[in-house]
Amino acid sequence: MSNENKIFRVSPENPNGILVDMTAEEIAQRETDKANALAEQQAIETAKQAKETAQASGNQKLLDLGLTQAEATALTGYTPPVAE
Amino acid sequence: MATINLGSIKFKWKGTYNGATAYTVDDVVEYNGSSYICILASTGNLPTDTTYFEQMSSAGTNGTDGTDLGTTLTTQGDIVYRDSSGLARLGAGTSGQVLQTNGTGANPSWGTVSSDMVKVADVDGGDTNALAIDSCFSSTYENYLIYANIHTSATAVAKIRMQDASNTEQTSSVYFYSQYMTQQYNGGTSAGAAGAWAGDNISVQEVIDPATEGYAQYIIHMSRPFVSGKYTVMDISYFGYDGSGFRRVVNGSSFRSTISCAGFRFYASTGNITSNSNVKVYGLK
């Protein structure tokens, strides 16, 4: 992105906005932000995957005990994903 | 046959007074804008001499006493009103001003519309990584209402940071928030709590899709950002679509710094905040 190291600044003096280059400190901060955002996203995905795995596993154990899916869903609120 | 001299049987207009002319009774002259009738024949006596003339009508004031609109109004945009003595001119005010009464016994004036809720910024994205709304907070308003539709150029998360009095981005670990998300996607519903303790930004949404139908809408009620010595508190309502599901987030955030903030910004975790984004900021008294 050609403007990824720029800021669009809007103020009462420049209500239509002006394009400003980031300072070296801001660019460094942006790199840190990108790395942190990537790590956050990976953590979210990992947690999401772990939760889905646990839900599916728990649901299967309930089915193995003899419950119907409707009964298991009534207990846990979990509904297995529908294959598309 | 006897002849009787009836004198003039009607007024006789003699034009502008001339000191060399012999005037007779019932001659009428103009002098300094007034008209006079001769009551005693003479030559060389001014019409103002009441021995020889009586005034028939007085000259107008030609606007010198403030009674003439053509004299009072001088410039395009002028309006006229009455002051304590007569007609007076109110010159054109500044664009956007409105006419304001100042009550009985006072003159009207131009004034700026004042409201308990005023739009202080209305900006579109600039296809840059950050969209900074500088100096939108001031001592005029204590609280602010922000409507934002944010789009990014790539699969990314738009985040929020405050700016100090110099509109410098605040990256310290002073952002605290708690939020709850409900999600509806094809085949199911999910929900979950999240938040941050001493983070360096506010991140309300999850990933948004760059597809044209992807969107992220924020309604933010921000309290006292400009007041120094107080933490800025935000109540954020978010709704977005990422191409596969709808997400609703209710967020409560605190910017736990006592500095005075003049502005804030949205920035993209990667890529840019695109030009089809828009942010409106309203000041609330």
Side-chain angles (χ1 to χ4, degrees):
Chain A
M1 298 296 164
S2 59
N3 284 342
E4 203 165 339
N5 287 335
K6 293 181 185 293
I7 303 173
F8 191 63
R9 307 203 78 120
V10 181
S11 66
E13 294 75 29
N14 296 292
N16 295 322
I18 54 173
L19 215 52
V20 177
D21 288 328
M22 288 184 178
T23 64
E25 291 77 13
E26 286 173 327
I27 291 173
Q29 179 66 49
R30 201 58 57 225
E31 292 304 315
T32 302
D33 290 340
K34 285 170 69 174
N36 289 344
L38 187 61
E40 284 172 14
Q41 206 55 50
Q42 287 173 341
I44 289 172
E45 286 302 318
T46 300
K48 184 179 172 185
Q49 194 59 49
K51 184 178 179 182
E52 288 174 357
T53 300
Q55 285 175 323
S57 172
N59 185 70
Q60 187 56 51
K61 287 176 181 173
L62 290 173
L63 296 181
D64 292 345
L65 289 172
L67 277 67
T68 65
Q69 183 57 60
E71 291 169 332
T73 299
L75 278 175
T76 64
Y78 172 76
T79 303
V82 178
E84 296 185 10
Chain B
M1 183 176 177
T3 301
I4 300 172
N5 184 1
L6 295 176
S8 297
I9 59 173
K10 64 178 183 178
F11 299 132
K12 190 174 183 182
W13 177 247
K14 304 293 283 186
T16 301
Y17 172 78
N18 186 334
T21 302
Y23 293 104
T24 58
V25 173
D26 290 335
D27 284 350
V28 177
V29 296
E30 181 274 331
Y31 182 69
N32 287 342
S34 297
S35 55
Y36 299 84
I37 185 168
C38 178
I39 57 174
L40 180 63
S42 73
T43 301
N45 292 299
L46 288 173
T48 51
D49 187 334
T50 56
T51 300
Y52 302 97
F53 290 91
E54 281 186 356
Q55 190 173 41
M56 292 181 72
S57 63
S58 298
T61 59
N62 199 25
T64 55
D65 65 349
T67 59
D68 184 74
L69 281 175
T71 305
T72 305
L73 299 174
T74 62
T75 311
Q76 182 177 8
D78 285 354
I79 63 169
V80 67
Y81 66 94
R82 190 190 191 288
D83 64 12
S84 58
S85 58
L87 299 182
R89 165 184 175 266
L90 178 62
T94 304
S95 178
Q97 287 187 310
V98 296
L99 187 62
Q100 196 169 39
T101 178
N102 292 300
T104 304
N107 298 328
S109 60
W110 298 111
T112 303
V113 175
S114 178
S115 169
D116 287 349
M117 180 174 177
V118 170
K119 185 162 64 178
V120 295
D122 185 350
V123 304
D124 293 329
D127 286 323
T128 54
N129 178 263
L131 172 59
I133 299 96
D134 295 349
S135 302
C136 60
F137 305 139
S138 70
S139 59
T140 305
Y141 304 98
E142 187 164 289
N143 302 314
Y144 294 84
L145 187 59
I146 300 162
Y147 290 95
N149 284 286
I150 300 297
H151 303 263
T152 55
S153 61
T155 301
V157 177
K159 295 166 178 278
I160 301 169
R161 277 191 179 131
M162 301 301 291
Q163 299 176 173
D164 67 10
S166 303
N167 289 302
T168 300
E169 176 183 31
Q170 296 302 289
T171 58
S172 301
S173 299
V174 290
Y175 296 86
F176 297 74
Y177 60 89
S178 174
Q179 62 190 31
Y180 193 80
M181 179 188 73
T182 55
Q183 178 176 241
Q184 179 67 47
Y185 53 89
N186 185 14
T189 301
S190 65
W197 191 265
D200 66 4
N201 65 78
I202 297 170
S203 181
V204 179
Q205 67 181 102
E206 292 192 7
V207 171
I208 61 173
D209 194 282
T212 53
E213 61 176 338
Y215 56 84
Q217 173 181 296
Y218 298 77
I219 302 173
I220 305 172
H221 180 213
M222 190 179 295
S223 298
R224 300 189 296 194
F226 195 76
V227 179
S228 60
K230 304 287 185 186
Y231 293 154
T232 298
V233 178
M234 282 166 263
D235 184 359
I236 304 175
S237 175
Y238 164 84
F239 180 68
Y241 177 69
D242 69 356
S244 63
F246 296 95
R247 292 190 176 90
R248 171 92 170 148
V249 178
V250 178
N251 169 297
S253 293
S254 177
F255 175 69
R256 293 176 69 85
S257 168
T258 57
I259 64 166
S260 173
C261 294
F264 70 105
R265 68 177 60 189
F266 282 95
Y267 70 95
S269 60
T270 186
N272 293 336
I273 304 289
T274 53
S275 59
N276 57 342
S277 301
N278 178 263
V279 180
K280 291 181 173 64
V281 183
Y282 297 85
L284 305 173
K285 284 185 176 173

